[in-house]
């Protein structure tokens, strides 16, 4: 993933001179990270403005997200840019060539559960800490691009994490609206729920942040890639980095209850709904059967809402993720 023209940087991003674009291989002095490097494009606008981090590949089999980030980094003209963009297309670098879904293959941890990281932890936590210090922490806003993983179908949505700081949360929400995807999820972290995400760590540190997702099942699909590129460019207009007027986007369906369902036992998973379907509380939404085809468990909707993503692979371990329902 390297070019000879890439510049090596250690532990921090040095900004190039105004009006230039620099390709970087970011390395870290932490001994656990010594064998690895992280590609980034640093675009410093000719005009003053905020610094934005655009990252992807926290889950590196979510290809429309990575492709969108690559295109944005190539498309942006530094002469027209107000501010700085740090585009890092691959965060979980060790998982990319091995095509490992969800987790880092070195310690089997999902990076998006361990932000802002820990320099004393295992590889994923050390990597997250290094990335947070170098790329996310010094930014005025974060866009973390995702899409359905190898075994996930997904209805495009943007999530932000409710931090309790009204000013930060309003800024994240406004970025989410500018992104223009069909659903906007205001996720309030709670014990046992979704935690340690990039957007939770960023917003807790006072950095407005969104996590847009588009794509499904590890496919590099053009409509979802274009959706992410268009959305991010609009967020850049909204934040003042691009001077064209903000495009009016279709209003998103607001989701305040984001509930993940987990398998009550291992077996084969047969969902009876599709992403985007509207479900009612207690409605049957699928079943788990044994390898002989006997029903083991039926799965019902926890509350009214829309199916935002679901696992498309029948192979299901106990407590594996089945799907998520977003309540309005
Ligand atoms: Zn993801």
């Amino acid at each position: 993933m390297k070019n000879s023209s890439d510049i090596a940087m250690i532990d921090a991003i040095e900004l190039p001179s105004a009006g230039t674009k620099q390709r970087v291989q970011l390395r870290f002095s932490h001994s656990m990270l010594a064998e690895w490097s992280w590609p980034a494009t640093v675009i410093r606008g000719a005009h003053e403005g905020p610094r934005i981090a655009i990252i992807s590949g926290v889950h590196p089999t979510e290809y429309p997200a990575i492709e969108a980030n690559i295109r944005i980094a190539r498309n942006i003209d530094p002469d027209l840019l107000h501010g700085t963009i740090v585009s890092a297309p691959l965060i979980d670098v060790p998982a990319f060539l091995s095509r490992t879904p969800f987790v880092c293959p070195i310690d089997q941890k999902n990076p998006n559960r361990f932000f802002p990281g820990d320099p004393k932890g295992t590889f994923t936590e050390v990597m997250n800490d290094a990335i947070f210090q170098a790329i996310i922490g010094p930014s005025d806003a974060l866009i973390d691009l995702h899409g359905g993983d190898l075994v996930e179908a997904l209805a495009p949505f943007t999530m932000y994490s409710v931090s309790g700081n009204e000013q930060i949360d309003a800024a994240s929400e406004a970025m989410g609206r500018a992104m223009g995807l069909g659903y906007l999820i205001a996720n309030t972290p709670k014990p046992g729920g979704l935690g340690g995400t990039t957007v939770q760590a960023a917003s807790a540190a006072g950095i407005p942040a969104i996590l847009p997702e588009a794509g499904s099942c590890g496919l590099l699909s053009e409509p979802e890639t274009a959706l992410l590129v268009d959305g991010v460019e609009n967020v850049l207009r909204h934040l003042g980095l691009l001077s064209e007027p903000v495009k009016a986007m279709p209003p998103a369906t607001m989701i305040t209850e984001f509930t993940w369902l987990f398998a009550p036992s291992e077996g084969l998973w047969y969902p009876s709904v599709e992403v985007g379907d509207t479900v009612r509380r207690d409605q049957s939404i699928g079943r788990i059967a044994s390898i002989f085809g006997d029903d083991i468990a039926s799965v019902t909707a926890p509350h009214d809402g829309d199916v935002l993503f679901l696992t498309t692979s029948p192979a299901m371990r106990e407590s594996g993720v089945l799907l998520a329902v977003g309540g309005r």
Side-chain angles (χ1 to χ4, degrees), residues 59 62 146-147 213:
H59 296 139
E62 301 179 354
H146 286 248
E213 296 223 25

Side-chain angles (χ1 to χ4, degrees), residues 102-310:
F102 303 109
V103 300
C104 179
I106 294 175
D107 59 5
Q108 302 299 320
K109 286 181 175 167
N110 181 340
N112 213 25
R113 300 293 175 276
F114 291 94
F115 277 94
D118 179 358
K120 296 190 177 71
T122 63
F123 185 93
T124 294
E125 293 154 294
V126 172
M127 171 179 79
N128 284 4
D129 172 67
I131 294 291
F132 197 88
Q133 301 295 333
I135 295 177
I136 299 175
S139 299
D140 298 305
L142 168 70
I143 303 172
D144 175 19
L145 299 171
H146 286 248
D149 218 306
L150 277 186
V151 295
E152 251 176 18
L154 180 143
F157 63 76
T158 301
M159 183 179 79
Y160 70 95
S161 184
V162 176
S163 68
N165 177 327
E166 280 176 28
Q167 200 186 335
I168 302 300
D169 295 343
S172 298
E173 181 182 341
M175 287 169 66
R177 292 196 184 281
M179 189 69 206
L181 302 184
Y183 295 93
L184 180 57
I185 303 172
N187 184 59
T188 304
K190 37 185 180 277
L194 188 61
T197 61
T198 50
V199 288
Q200 183 186 351
S203 63
I207 301 161
I210 55 171
L211 190 155
E213 296 223 25
S216 283
C217 299
L219 297 170
L220 176 53
S221 49
E222 183 55 31
E224 284 76 14
T225 304
L227 203 59
L228 291 174
V229 171
D230 290 350
V232 170
E233 286 178 352
N234 208 43
V235 175
L236 295 176
R237 292 182 201 111
H238 163 73
L239 295 172
L241 283 94
L242 299 176
S243 53
E244 310 103 83
V246 180
K247 263 198 242 170
M249 291 296 206
T253 300
M254 196 72 201
I255 300 291
T256 52
E257 209 172 3
F258 188 36
T259 306
W260 293 35
L261 299 190
F262 300 92
S265 59
E266 71 170 38
L268 281 80
W269 159 234
Y270 298 96
S272 56
V273 291
E274 292 180 14
V275 289
D277 283 0
T278 298
V279 296
R280 290 271 168 215
R281 182 195 163 104
D282 295 332
Q283 176 190 330
S284 172
I285 52 180
R287 65 193 174 90
I288 300 200
S290 76
I291 196 66
F292 296 106
D294 296 332
D295 281 350
I296 296 173
S298 69
V299 179
T300 56
H303 49 73
D304 292 1
D306 292 2
V307 178
L308 297 186
F309 70 76
L310 68 81

